[in-house]
Short mmCIF file of all heavy atoms in Angstrom, two decimals:
data_model
loop_
_atom_site.label_atom_id
_atom_site.label_comp_id
_atom_site.label_asym_id
_atom_site.label_seq_id
_atom_site.Cartn_x
_atom_site.Cartn_y
_atom_site.Cartn_z
N THR B 1205 -9.64 -25.19 7.47
CA THR B 1205 -10.39 -24.69 8.61
C THR B 1205 -9.66 -23.53 9.30
O THR B 1205 -10.22 -22.84 10.13
CB THR B 1205 -10.60 -25.80 9.65
OG1 THR B 1205 -9.34 -26.42 9.90
CG2 THR B 1205 -11.59 -26.85 9.14
N THR B 1206 -8.41 -23.32 8.95
CA THR B 1206 -7.61 -22.26 9.57
C THR B 1206 -8.13 -20.87 9.23
O THR B 1206 -8.42 -20.60 8.07
CB THR B 1206 -6.15 -22.38 9.10
OG1 THR B 1206 -5.64 -23.64 9.51
CG2 THR B 1206 -5.29 -21.26 9.67
N ARG B 1207 -8.25 -20.02 10.24
CA ARG B 1207 -8.53 -18.61 9.97
C ARG B 1207 -7.23 -17.82 10.13
O ARG B 1207 -6.52 -17.99 11.12
CB ARG B 1207 -9.58 -18.08 10.95
CG ARG B 1207 -9.76 -16.56 10.84
CD ARG B 1207 -10.75 -15.99 11.81
NE ARG B 1207 -12.11 -16.41 11.55
CZ ARG B 1207 -12.86 -15.99 10.52
NH1 ARG B 1207 -12.34 -15.16 9.64
NH2 ARG B 1207 -14.10 -16.39 10.37
N LEU B 1208 -6.96 -16.98 9.14
CA LEU B 1208 -5.78 -16.11 9.21
C LEU B 1208 -6.22 -14.69 9.56
O LEU B 1208 -7.15 -14.17 8.94
CB LEU B 1208 -5.03 -16.12 7.87
CG LEU B 1208 -3.89 -15.10 7.71
CD1 LEU B 1208 -2.73 -15.42 8.64
CD2 LEU B 1208 -3.41 -15.04 6.26
N ILE B 1209 -5.55 -14.07 10.51
CA ILE B 1209 -5.74 -12.64 10.80
C ILE B 1209 -4.44 -11.95 10.39
O ILE B 1209 -3.36 -12.38 10.77
CB ILE B 1209 -6.00 -12.39 12.30
CG1 ILE B 1209 -7.26 -13.12 12.80
CG2 ILE B 1209 -6.06 -10.90 12.60
CD1 ILE B 1209 -8.58 -12.48 12.47
N GLY B 1210 -4.55 -10.87 9.64
CA GLY B 1210 -3.37 -10.18 9.13
C GLY B 1210 -3.07 -10.69 7.73
O GLY B 1210 -3.95 -11.27 7.11
N PRO B 1211 -1.87 -10.48 7.25
CA PRO B 1211 -0.69 -9.94 7.91
C PRO B 1211 -0.73 -8.41 8.05
O PRO B 1211 -1.70 -7.80 7.70
CB PRO B 1211 0.43 -10.35 6.97
CG PRO B 1211 -0.19 -10.35 5.63
CD PRO B 1211 -1.61 -10.84 5.85
N ASN B 1212 0.42 -7.88 8.56
CA ASN B 1212 0.61 -6.45 8.77
C ASN B 1212 -0.48 -5.91 9.69
O ASN B 1212 -1.19 -4.98 9.36
CB ASN B 1212 0.62 -5.71 7.42
CG ASN B 1212 1.03 -4.26 7.54
OD1 ASN B 1212 1.51 -3.82 8.58
ND2 ASN B 1212 0.84 -3.51 6.48
N CYS B 1213 -0.62 -6.54 10.86
CA CYS B 1213 -1.68 -6.17 11.78
C CYS B 1213 -1.16 -6.17 13.21
O CYS B 1213 -0.10 -6.71 13.49
CB CYS B 1213 -2.84 -7.16 11.65
SG CYS B 1213 -2.53 -8.74 12.45
N PRO B 1214 -1.91 -5.52 14.13
CA PRO B 1214 -1.49 -5.54 15.54
C PRO B 1214 -1.93 -6.79 16.29
O PRO B 1214 -1.55 -6.97 17.43
CB PRO B 1214 -2.19 -4.30 16.12
CG PRO B 1214 -3.41 -4.13 15.29
CD PRO B 1214 -3.06 -4.62 13.91
N GLY B 1215 -2.76 -7.63 15.67
CA GLY B 1215 -3.21 -8.86 16.31
C GLY B 1215 -4.60 -8.76 16.91
O GLY B 1215 -5.38 -7.87 16.56
N VAL B 1216 -4.89 -9.69 17.81
CA VAL B 1216 -6.23 -9.81 18.40
C VAL B 1216 -6.09 -9.78 19.91
O VAL B 1216 -5.20 -10.43 20.47
CB VAL B 1216 -6.90 -11.15 18.00
CG1 VAL B 1216 -8.31 -11.23 18.59
CG2 VAL B 1216 -6.93 -11.32 16.49
#
Side-chain angles (χ1 to χ4, degrees):
Chain B
T1205 50
T1206 299
R1207 172 182 293 288
L1208 171 67
I1209 300 281
N1212 189 12
C1213 76
V1216 182

